[in-house]
Amino acid sequence: MRLLFGLFAFLIILPSGCIDPLIKQVETNDTKYSERFRPQFHFSPKSNWMNDPNGLIFENDRYHLFYQFYPDSTVWGPMHWGHATSEDLTHWTHQPIALYPDSLGYIFSGSAVMDYKNSSGLGSENQPALVAIYTYHNMEYERSGRNDYQTQGIAFSLDHGMTWEKFDGNPVIKNPGIKDFRDPKVFWHEPTQKWILILVAGDHARIYNSKNLIDWTFLSDFGHNEGAHGGVWECPDLFPLTTDQGDQKWVLIISINPGGPQGGSATQYFVGDFDGQKFTTAQKESKWLDFGRDNYAGVTYNDAPEDKRILMGWMSNWDYAQVTPTTNWRSAMTLPRSLELKGSNSDYYLVQNPIIEPSIIARTEEFDVAQVTEGVVLPSSQFQMEFEVDLSEKTVFELANEQDQFVFSIDPTLRQMMVDRRFSGKIEFSDKFAPGQQISAFIPENRAAKVTIFSDASSIEIFVDQGRYVFTNQVFPEQPYSHLRIVSDGVKTDKIIFSELNSIWHEQ
Ligand code: FRU
């Protein structure tokens, strides 16, 4: 049964027999990116299958986004690295495929560094190499029952990622007999003057170092007994962050599939120390990056300006990623988010600040609290919205069209926040998509908290308490959501600020 909050009295019912114009566009394989469910201010591939972000690096004034890509189908297959670039992390330009599978295997996830000092000898000091470090997945080995089918390889580009050459001594790290052995993240470690590589090996992470990106020495491992272990560890990242109190810590990010708190894929993190050899932490409990279901395989940019730590995730979940109801493309990335570390000693935590280039704000409107309590007709379903709530009051936020609704609520009695997408639109493509409510984060204390919500054609990202609690979810409404209601005694701000967002594709 639908929730009580369902239909608003003023909903306009479309005449029956009315043809949905969006369906037509899908059939023509729209090159304007206006197909039904096509994200308008999130990155998605032009067509076909995408998963993890790879090789995130800022160089030559551009943010590179490489990604797991299968150019021949809308489901997972032989992996390539797709490529896009951006100057502002909002507008993206599609680039030619960067890496193709070869005789050593498919090209799985990994990272990229700029070898400015030419430590590898693959470029020169005048023309430094952009070096990609990735996992080779050898299907033949896997099929024949061997367990050493994943190795690490490198490739380099002397023209800022436009063309690539594989290193002829691949693989640079052989498989030690571990089935899941992948997803290397590499960064330069100034104190030891070495490259550090972290990869995952089933239920733990392994750390290596190197002087030249080619010869790697195993240093330590982490995680056999730490954190969540409901699934295989994937896509690690390790980076320093300093709190506003001046504490210098290291954050280790580990994606896990399955075993996420809401089911399927999710990302956990550890806050601790790294001495150039070993990562250690006093953290006892598991910490989760996102309380929604669709933020996976997230990693951060190398060399981002102003020492910023910018994360981007794949906005999907292996529980249903391959059957979502999109047509000629599948999957999108989350909004990029700048990470900060807060808290102290026993309770450090990450906060995420979404990044959008302000020029995509088409116009801003202010709604009264009384108006949104009644319910308002939205000028657009593509928006950013901001308000402040008192966490000691129950708050219910609904987005709806005449038949679907998405509900986010904060319940101080239960001390929980919840997302309900059971009635949000199309859900029947997988019984794992919306089996129940998502019972998410606990509320630590009663006070005012800022809420920022981004709604795109097939996603809703909610940032509560300045990005301390984040809920990233896909939704597939039968029609774009057209109505908003917020029922709460706890809205603190007089006005709810609503900004309609332009499409990053149509603007160009
Ligand atoms: C995570 C992942 C990685 C792997 C890649 C393969 O989503 O499973 O561990 O490298 O996807 O596409």
Side-chain angles (χ1 to χ4, degrees), residues 49 51-52 68 76 79 107-110 135 182-183 200 233-235 296-297 314 318:
W49 170 266
N51 55 291
D52 315 356
Q68 289 286 278
W76 191 91
M79 284 290 111
I107 315 292
F108 273 21
S109 287
T135 297
R182 59 178 177 264
D183 306 342
V200 279
W233 282 22
E234 298 187 313
C235 302
Y296 193 60
W314 172 46
W318 283 115

Side-chain angles (χ1 to χ4, degrees), residues 56-58 63-65 89 92 300-304 309-310:
L56 301 184
I57 186 167
F58 179 80
Y63 292 90
H64 292 270
L65 164 60
L89 285 171
W92 293 96
T300 66
Y301 270 89
N302 277 338
D303 304 343
R309 196 40 72 174
I310 301 166

Side-chain angles (χ1 to χ4, degrees), residues 11-247:
L11 283 176
I12 308 147
I13 310 289
L14 282 175
S16 60
C18 167
I19 297 164
D20 182 348
L22 295 172
I23 287 176
K24 242 184 169 167
Q25 288 170 353
V26 167
E27 284 165 0
T28 57
N29 214 350
D30 193 338
T31 49
K32 285 206 148 108
Y33 306 97
S34 44
E35 304 98 328
R36 189 178 187 188
F37 301 132
R38 172 71 88 168
Q40 293 300 311
F41 57 93
H42 289 81
F43 179 80
S44 60
K46 233 186 223 171
S47 57
N48 291 314
W49 170 266
M50 175 180 83
N51 55 291
D52 315 356
N54 295 152
L56 301 184
I57 186 167
F58 179 80
E59 70 83 34
N60 198 28
D61 294 333
R62 292 190 311 176
Y63 292 90
H64 292 270
L65 164 60
F66 300 92
Y67 52 89
Q68 289 286 278
F69 185 44
Y70 182 37
D72 297 330
S73 171
T74 50
V75 293
W76 191 91
M79 284 290 111
H80 299 53
W81 273 26
H83 186 202
T85 52
S86 172
E87 282 167 22
D88 60 7
L89 285 171
T90 297
H91 299 90
W92 293 96
T93 306
H94 292 290
Q95 304 290 1
I97 291 176
L99 300 176
Y100 289 78
D102 60 46
S103 61
L104 294 178
Y106 298 172
I107 315 292
F108 273 21
S109 287
S111 51
V113 295
M114 197 64 190
D115 187 13
Y116 288 108
K117 293 183 188 155
N118 196 28
S119 66
S120 61
L122 296 169
S124 62
E125 293 220 4
N126 292 336
Q127 204 180 8
L130 179 61
V131 181
I133 308 96
Y134 54 87
T135 297
Y136 271 119
H137 181 98
N138 190 320
M139 278 310 270
E140 277 165 40
Y141 282 15
E142 186 186 11
R143 280 194 203 110
S144 67
R146 295 168 65 145
N147 62 4
D148 60 349
Y149 50 81
Q150 293 185 341
T151 57
Q152 319 312 318
I154 64 177
F156 60 99
S157 167
L158 301 179
D159 57 4
H160 305 288
M162 292 302 112
T163 57
W164 289 85
E165 202 175 314
K166 306 259 177 54
F167 174 59
D168 58 13
N170 279 334
V172 292
I173 300 184
K174 296 203 172 76
N175 189 302
I178 300 172
K179 227 168 136 217
D180 295 296
F181 185 69
R182 59 178 177 264
D183 306 342
K185 169 76 189 228
V186 176
F187 60 92
W188 176 250
H189 188 248
E190 193 60 30
T192 54
Q193 293 288 298
K194 294 264 171 65
W195 297 104
I196 299 290
L197 180 152
I198 180 160
L199 53 71
V200 279
D203 65 349
H204 67 280
R206 305 182 123 217
I207 296 173
Y208 298 72
N209 73 5
S210 171
K211 272 190 164 143
N212 58 10
L213 295 167
I214 293 165
D215 305 302
W216 294 95
T217 306
F218 171 72
L219 300 174
S220 61
D221 59 22
F222 171 83
H224 291 281
N225 300 310
E226 285 89 358
H229 282 280
V232 69
W233 282 22
E234 298 187 313
C235 302
D237 196 356
L238 179 63
F239 50 86
L241 275 181
T242 302
T243 65
D244 41 8
Q245 305 298 313
D247 295 2

Side-chain angles (χ1 to χ4, degrees), residues 411-429:
D411 190 327
T413 326
L414 297 173
R415 306 201 73 75
Q416 278 166 349
M417 300 187 214
M418 285 159 278
V419 168
D420 193 344
R421 64 175 179 186
R422 284 177 296 172
F423 312 105
S424 61
K426 290 192 181 301
I427 63 158
E428 65 293 339
F429 54 87

